[in-house]
Amino acid sequence: MTLLAIDGITAFYGHSQALFGVDLNVAEGEVVALMGRNGMGKTTTIRCLTRLLPHRDGTIRFAGKSLAGLPPHRAARLGLGLVPEGRRAFAPLTVEENLIAAARPGHWDMARVTALFPRLGERRAQRAGLLSGGEQQMLVIGRALMTNPRLLILDEATEGLAPLIRAEIWAAIRRLKAETGLAILVVDKSLKELSHVADRAVILEKGRTAWTCPMVAMTQELADRYLGV
Ligand code: ATP
């Protein structure tokens, strides 16, 4: 069953057009990798999906409803769990307060989030501002899960982190997929990590969907053509 259907969206920053026709579907339980070189429109697509930027042409339907005209908090309430680029935990709050502030009823609660990220359990009473970058990123993912989303959206969730922490975050994403069947839209530069978790790849080029294929069909030739520098 289709959970998210983005059809032919365009988007502008002022007069400057950033998206020229993006198509992107995510089915229930599916993990989709949104790929493309820098500046091709991945983050802009996510901003349109989460209603931080209005799209102009085209449609976005989520869980059977059009998102047109909805403010971001209403779209979030339909089940969009965003982990935005850059880390934004509430620094003065503790880990536990950060998680509880985001909570909505459902499968995910403190116990499940701290089982997924044991470091968050260990640092439950610590202020978020004192966590390492990797721990803050885990907290931001934990916060998104606490909202009990139907679609988790990860925008460069491992960017700038140490290799060991990256590995922990990728392992958590694979567990999310295997154990909960959560639908995930993931933007990342690591083709290797994506190939271990994604079902399908959608590649953007110059603000358009240029290619989509099952992840197992992502060849080196495609990667060189669309992702190489
Ligand atoms: P990256 O991997 O660098 O984040 P991306 O694929 O996410 O790349 P976007 O950030 O969506 O790309 O950028 C798409 C286009 O929109 C680029 O040409 C970029 O310069 C432009 N753009 C992005 N943000 C803004 C903004 N706030 N104002 C004006 N133009 C922007």
Side-chain angles (χ1 to χ4, degrees), residues 13 18 37-45 47 85 156 189:
Y13 291 105
R37 283 186 287 261
N38 287 345
M40 293 301 173
K42 304 178 297 292
T43 296
T44 302
T45 299
R47 285 192 192 125
E85 232 181 343
E156 309 258 14
K189 294 201 172 64

